[in-house]
Amino acid sequence: MTDRALEGMKVLDLTHHLSGPYCTKLLADFGADVLKVEKPAGDHTRRAGPFLEDDIDPEKSLVFAYLNTNKQSITLNLKSDKGISMLTSLIEESDVLVENFAPRVMPSLGLDFETLQQINPRLILTSISNFGQTGPYRDYKAADIIEYAMGGLMYISGAYDREPLKHAFNQAQFKAGTDGASATLMAMYHQRLTGEGQHVDVSIQEAVATGLRDVVNNFTYTGAVRRRQPNHSGDLSRLRASSDGHLIPNPGIGAGLNWDVMVDFMGIPELGGDKFNTPSARLVNAEELGQILDNYFIKQNKYERFYAAHEKRFIFGVVQSPSEVMADPQFEARNFFVDIAHPSLGTLKYPGAPFEMSKTPWAARSPAPTLGQHNQEIIGKKLGHTREELAQMRADSII
Amino acid sequence: MQGPLAGVRIIEMGQLIAIPFSMKMLADMGAQVIRLESTGRLESYRSDSVYKNDISGEFWNKGANFYEQNRNKLGVTLDLSRPEGLGILKELIRVSDVFSENFTPRVIKNFGLEYEDIRKIKPDIIMVSSTGYGFYGPWANYGATGPATEGAAGLAYQTGYTDRDAPVMSEIPYTDYTSGEHTVFAVMAALMHRLSTGQGQFVDISQTQATSATIPEILMDYSANGRTGNRMGNQDTVMSPHGCYPCQGDDRWITIAVSNNQEWQTLCNVLRQGDWASNSRFEDDLSRWQNRDELDGLIGTVTHSWDAHELMTALQSAGVAAGVVMDSQDLLFDPHLVERNFYEVVSHHDSTGIPPLPYAGRPWKLSRTPAVKGMPAPLMGQHNSLILENMLGKTSEEVKALEESGIIGYGPTTPRPVQRPPMDEQIRQGRMQRFESDFEEQVKRTFPA
């Protein structure tokens, strides 16, 4: 019995940057065989920081190392006939081809979906792109910030009195990568039952626009356009500064809050009495309440309050710095960070399983491949090319 | 259209977003999702943000968030605190493929619904639990909100304005969606495994963990280099200009991201700023990045007189990445999303008084097995007899008896509507930007039923 959920699933990975590689990483980490096809110069994420000790070496990009665990790498120049013909041989025996080029690229390489179907009718083509394969923005350029803005998340994020603000780094790309992996498996499920392949079109803009509670519905239900929220200092769910960082002292959701227990927990007598003990009283005296809470929490230790609150079942949260995340006792108990040994990076701790599966666990079977690490094995042995032919292909910039 | 997941049956004991959102995605693709509800403990999304802010009548069948998260599901009410109710849940699990829930482990243990319990009822069941911090471990029973796990995961720490101390949290339960996206993938992986081996298993989703998996830029840099970054604002680690700039009108903005010299020259050209183009302080990627604060200030003074949509079109036609910061009205009527049929018009039950309305669809399109046609979220208890009689073989007398003893029901036992303030008050408080009084006509025009 296998302990790999996606055992036997063969994925040809033409992706680069972040969204596509995260999609194929999820597939690889849960057991699919993923063959990464890089252009001879390599996925440009190899040249993106941060690097180990700031050493700008294509084998030392930390994000590349994270995104490409459990994959094999070959290089192929897809602008050469030879490169395309070798790719075609690989397509014949794959279940899935994942790509995240601009939508015009695959057809320009002669790899439109219809052609791929003729090569292999079982093949699933998963295409992840900024705005999808159709529509007026199809060829628009984007970066994570553009997707945030055009997916509707940016307008409601940030401070009321300031410019809209995006999350740090590349959340839109990771959303689309996850969605791409899910949709690929839906198509695989159908393929396993019927033998039919299909084209899966994933849009990063839509990945963002799918996860916006209330935004569009506020408009369709009431005509209201929601915006970034003002800093209502009395809001109990607001972030507050502590002596050592920030915490989210949210006492509870909805009407279940027992104010007296809360007042007792914080030990602030001024909060007692009628002034703050109902939601409407707290609204009327919000400014004063906010002041009292700010003055209280700034003197507190965030973890001390976090643990004490959970004893009372208040759902407090803490903002953790990267060092605190890595020392988090919950993550430690769940072995979230795992050691992975890599030839150029040495052994480092990586974020591990995004979730746990009891019978088919997440596993780091191999580190990210070096560029073209599996050329010999795949192009040589599998596709039947001699060492001399490989040397010639290298000289001709095909691999 | 059946969808690729036709034949998969899922029991959902979900609340709010994390599990309901992910099960909706699976329901859209053809899985039969049966959602359990309690009449005693009303899900808050049922009664909040109701249609036209009108809490009269069966307000619990009018909540926007409930309709958004529960499309294409069947609904059954069950009082799980009574043995008969719990017994019916177990009968349902026995004829299902997946059992999903997002309560704290304490609640699930109290009900006797852990994986080890339910696999005795259905050996190949796939059980999915989604919790703030994971089903085991010292924080397992800690309740969590979206902001709490956004903070715990390490995502919030670097999100914020460069000149302000506090991190900025999402105004939606952001990690519910991040973990929900991973939950869809996890269920699919478990279904694939079951297809080839016949085995079920337990899937343990930690909303924090799934979110931490999406920030390698932060966690790998700390792990390898011991480095912790500052709040990033809208800046990038290499690109400049890269930011959000004011445009003409009230609270209108555009985002621009420039990744090389050619795009920079094009940007200067479109904005008609020859001086910038020849300024040595901005001549290459590195100098623009080093002088990014100055550059961002300059750009804002020029974009200010542009209409955001016109500037986006002008820049994109010339080959520069630019995007309007879309508000909800832009997003709903965005010609691109409309042409791609991203929104799906769903007709509601006549009793609700809600006309057919568009809802966000999915971020994927499957060419051969598209999504099923959208059915609205269930009225409370709408499918009680369908499920109890047709699926579990109970007689109509038995169902009636269950109703009389309050095991099942059709409305909350203690109705408590949430009346939001009138729209002008919400605008005064700054919670809404504006109100469009002709919104019904606008919606109907673009999305005819």
Side-chain angles (χ1 to χ4, degrees):
Chain A
M1 278 290 178
T2 172
D3 61 359
R4 288 158 60 176
L6 306 177
E7 169 104 65
M9 176 173 159
K10 288 191 165 43
V11 180
L12 202 50
D13 179 3
L14 263 57
T15 68
H16 63 290
H17 197 49
L18 302 167
S19 63
Y22 189 61
C23 168
T24 52
K25 172 185 167 66
L26 285 169
L27 299 172
D29 287 359
F30 285 95
D33 295 319
V34 176
L35 179 60
K36 186 175 176 77
V37 180
E38 300 186 61
K39 57 187 177 185
D43 177 347
H44 69 226
T45 304
R46 290 187 183 273
R47 290 188 296 282
F51 295 92
L52 176 66
E53 289 161 1
D54 296 329
D55 180 5
I56 304 175
D57 172 329
E59 300 302 346
K60 291 190 179 173
S61 162
L62 296 164
V63 174
F64 183 88
Y66 173 74
L67 286 172
N68 293 286
T69 48
N70 294 323
K71 301 178 190 174
Q72 294 186 306
S73 162
I74 62 168
T75 51
L76 274 186
N77 181 352
L78 298 180
K79 289 178 180 155
S80 68
D81 293 345
K82 184 98 187 152
I84 289 289
S85 107
M86 287 190 282
L87 184 75
T88 303
S89 306
L90 295 169
I91 289 169
E92 283 167 5
E93 52 189 72
S94 298
D95 292 301
V96 180
L97 190 160
V98 186
E99 58 91 8
N100 64 329
F101 296 118
R104 66 188 136 71
V105 173
M106 288 292 280
S108 77
L109 296 170
L111 298 171
D112 55 281
F113 178 64
E114 285 66 34
T115 307
L116 294 172
Q117 277 277 278
Q118 281 160 19
I119 300 169
N120 175 0
R122 295 173 60 87
L123 187 80
I124 291 151
L125 170 63
T126 298
S127 301
I128 304 174
S129 59
N130 290 322
F131 299 97
Q133 301 292 310
T134 59
Y137 305 158
R138 188 189 87 136
D139 297 317
Y140 273 19
K141 285 190 179 173
D144 208 72
I145 191 171
I146 313 287
E147 305 291 9
Y148 241 69
M150 294 176 75
L153 190 51
M154 191 134 180
Y155 186 75
I156 59 161
S157 304
Y160 183 82
D161 58 342
R162 289 286 293 264
E163 71 277 16
L165 178 78
K166 78 184 292 284
H167 265 125
F169 293 102
N170 296 292
Q171 287 290 297
Q173 313 296 316
F174 280 89
K175 277 177 170 296
T178 315
D179 289 330
S182 299
T184 298
L185 290 190
M186 291 169 185
M188 268 307 292
Y189 196 79
H190 181 76
Q191 190 239 46
R192 286 285 188 254
L193 293 173
T194 64
E196 294 174 339
Q198 58 183 316
H199 190 184
V200 177
D201 169 7
V202 178
S203 149
I204 304 177
Q205 180 194 22
E206 291 168 10
V208 176
T210 310
L212 304 169
R213 187 195 67 185
D214 254 1
V215 169
V216 160
N217 293 336
N218 266 148
F219 188 85
T220 57
Y221 275 62
T222 64
V225 174
R226 187 161 162 217
R227 65 166 288 165
R228 303 180 298 294
Q229 298 295 290
N231 202 343
H232 289 130
S233 65
D235 279 358
L236 293 178
S237 56
R238 216 191 105 195
L239 181 94
R240 310 230 176 232
S242 62
S243 62
D244 54 350
H246 294 86
L247 77 169
I248 305 115
N250 191 339
I253 304 174
L257 174 64
N258 184 328
W259 184 248
D260 293 339
V261 178
M262 180 75 182
V263 172
D264 184 50
F265 169 68
M266 297 203 293
I268 310 174
E270 300 103 284
L271 291 179
D274 314 342
K275 205 163 184 182
F276 304 112
N277 69 353
T278 63
S280 36
R282 290 195 286 277
L283 215 53
V284 172
N285 300 304
E287 282 299 317
E288 193 184 343
L289 175 61
Q291 235 358 271
I292 294 172
L293 293 175
D294 283 345
N295 292 340
Y296 170 75
F297 282 108
I298 192 68
K299 293 185 217 113
Q300 307 294 318
N301 172 288
K302 66 184 178 185
Y303 284 111
E304 190 278 324
R305 286 289 85 187
F306 174 72
Y307 285 114
H310 281 287
E311 291 294 311
K312 307 267 183 202
R313 293 193 190 158
F314 295 136
I315 50 178
F316 279 30
V318 279
V319 175
Q320 303 199 103
S321 69
S323 67
E324 289 164 342
V325 171
M326 291 197 69
D328 178 330
Q330 176 69 3
F331 276 168
E332 195 176 313
R334 294 170 65 82
N335 296 309
F336 175 58
F337 287 97
V338 292
D339 286 324
I340 297 179
H342 179 282
S344 301
L345 296 168
T347 299
L348 294 174
K349 288 203 182 304
Y350 291 56
F355 52 83
E356 295 194 14
M357 298 182 80
S358 63
K359 287 215 176 68
T360 55
W362 183 97
R365 289 171 282 119
S366 59
T370 54
L371 182 60
Q373 187 183 339
H374 303 91
N375 280 353
Q376 180 65 38
E377 183 182 333
I378 305 291
I379 300 176
K381 280 199 199 125
K382 198 164 172 186
L383 299 183
H385 292 283
T386 63
R387 276 183 182 283
E388 291 71 31
E389 286 171 323
L390 283 174
Q392 188 59 48
M393 284 191 248
R394 177 171 230 174
D396 296 343
S397 303
I398 290 165
I399 64 173
Chain B
M1 287 302 172
Q2 288 199 304
L5 304 182
V8 174
R9 182 178 290 159
I10 299 175
I11 306 300
E12 175 194 318
M13 195 171 131
Q15 50 182 344
L16 307 175
I17 297 178
I19 280 292
F21 166 77
S22 7
M23 296 307 120
K24 170 186 73 171
M25 290 301 186
L26 297 166
D28 280 0
M29 302 313 288
Q32 182 186 58
V33 177
I34 299 173
R35 190 182 199 279
L36 301 187
E37 282 188 79
S38 158
T39 55
R41 190 175 170 281
L42 185 67
E43 151 121 21
S44 63
Y45 282 179
R46 267 204 175 277
S47 53
D48 200 2
S49 295
V50 299
Y51 189 66
K52 287 188 171 174
N53 216 355
D54 172 11
I55 56 168
S56 65
E58 295 185 345
F59 63 85
W60 57 87
N61 287 328
K62 296 200 286 191
N65 287 323
F66 190 81
Y67 279 107
E68 166 154 26
Q69 306 301 345
N70 295 292
R71 175 174 60 210
N72 284 325
K73 298 178 188 175
L74 300 175
V76 62
T77 53
L78 276 184
D79 182 352
L80 295 181
S81 68
R82 315 250 295 271
E84 301 95 314
L86 204 53
I88 292 171
L89 170 57
K90 289 179 180 172
E91 285 180 57
L92 283 170
I93 290 172
R94 189 174 295 125
V95 294
S96 295
D97 303 292
V98 179
F99 172 54
S100 64
E101 60 87 18
N102 61 327
F103 287 80
T104 52
R106 181 169 42 80
V107 174
I108 293 304
K109 283 172 191 167
N110 287 345
F111 281 132
L113 293 172
E114 282 180 276
Y115 175 62
E116 290 307 322
D117 305 314
I118 66 161
R119 68 182 296 193
K120 290 182 191 133
I121 310 169
K122 181 75 162 60
D124 65 347
I125 194 83
I126 294 163
M127 173 163 170
V128 187
S129 292
S130 175
T131 55
Y133 304 105
F135 203 82
Y136 69 92
W139 295 9
N141 279 313
Y142 290 2
T145 56
T149 50
E150 196 177 329
L155 173 59
Y157 190 80
Q158 278 192 257
T159 299
Y161 295 97
T162 54
D163 58 350
R164 286 189 183 179
D165 176 53
V168 171
M169 312 297 299
S170 285
E171 287 174 9
I172 56 168
Y174 180 78
T175 57
D176 283 38
Y177 290 103
T178 305
S179 65
E181 288 145 11
H182 285 83
T183 303
V184 178
F185 174 73
V187 171
M188 288 312 308
L191 282 170
M192 288 299 292
H193 179 69
R194 205 179 76 145
L195 198 60
S196 50
T197 65
Q199 289 184 335
Q201 59 180 316
F202 179 53
V203 180
D204 172 0
I205 310 268
S206 151
Q207 290 151 22
T208 308
Q209 212 164 304
T211 306
S212 293
T214 67
I215 47 170
E217 299 90 341
I218 297 173
L219 296 177
M220 291 297 292
D221 199 18
Y222 183 78
S223 164
N225 297 321
R227 185 162 45 206
T228 300
N230 300 318
R231 317 256 192 264
M232 286 181 71
N234 286 316
Q235 296 179 345
D236 184 65
T237 50
V238 264
M239 281 187 265
S240 173
H242 182 283
C244 179
Y245 308 96
C247 289
Q248 226 174 57
D250 180 23
D251 206 33
R252 299 307 326 207
W253 308 84
I254 191 164
T255 52
I256 298 172
V258 166
S259 58
N260 57 44
N261 288 335
Q262 192 193 340
E263 289 173 6
W264 165 244
Q265 292 297 327
T266 309
L267 174 71
C268 296
N269 191 28
V270 172
L271 295 178
R272 294 183 288 275
Q273 301 298 321
D275 290 355
W276 301 355
S278 55
N279 187 332
S280 63
R281 295 172 56 73
F282 308 136
E283 69 186 354
D284 58 23
D285 296 350
L286 185 62
S287 58
R288 282 194 300 278
W289 192 80
Q290 284 167 337
N291 297 311
R292 60 195 182 278
D293 290 331
E294 179 189 350
L295 190 50
D296 284 344
L298 282 175
I299 291 171
T301 61
V302 176
T303 53
H304 200 259
S305 54
W306 279 80
D307 170 84
H309 284 91
E310 282 171 19
L311 183 53
M312 172 176 81
T313 310
L315 287 172
Q316 287 281 6
S317 319
V320 175
V324 171
V325 179
M326 296 203 184
D327 67 21
S328 47
Q329 193 182 20
D330 294 327
L331 195 68
L332 179 62
F333 301 117
D334 180 43
H336 179 78
L337 292 174
V338 170
E339 183 171 317
R340 280 176 59 77
N341 294 313
F342 174 65
Y343 295 102
E344 192 161 292
V345 178
V346 171
S347 295
H348 302 85
H349 195 272
D350 286 344
S351 67
T352 62
I354 307 176
L357 292 179
Y359 292 87
R362 296 145 300 278
W364 54 70
K365 292 184 192 303
L366 272 60
S367 61
R368 196 186 288 272
T369 56
V372 300
K373 189 176 164 358
M375 186 174 81
L379 305 175
M380 196 173 230
Q382 185 177 349
H383 304 102
N384 282 350
S385 32
L386 178 83
I387 287 159
L388 296 173
E389 292 175 28
N390 297 9
M391 202 175 287
L392 298 182
K394 304 206 179 301
T395 65
S396 52
E397 288 73 31
E398 286 172 318
V399 173
K400 201 157 179 54
L402 286 169
E403 193 185 327
E404 276 159 12
S405 58
I407 304 291
I408 62 170
Y410 300 87
T413 50
T414 44
R416 255 198 302 250
V418 179
Q419 178 71 70
R420 291 221 170 173
M423 206 52 67
D424 48 357
E425 174 60 14
Q426 292 191 44
I427 291 165
R428 198 193 62 77
Q429 289 178 4
R431 296 191 188 271
M432 296 296 167
Q433 200 271 344
R434 66 180 185 278
F435 168 68
E436 306 261 329
S437 57
D438 64 340
F439 73 98
E440 288 169 276
E441 289 75 46
Q442 290 186 36
V443 170
K444 215 181 297 174
R445 215 161 31 235
T446 308
F447 302 98

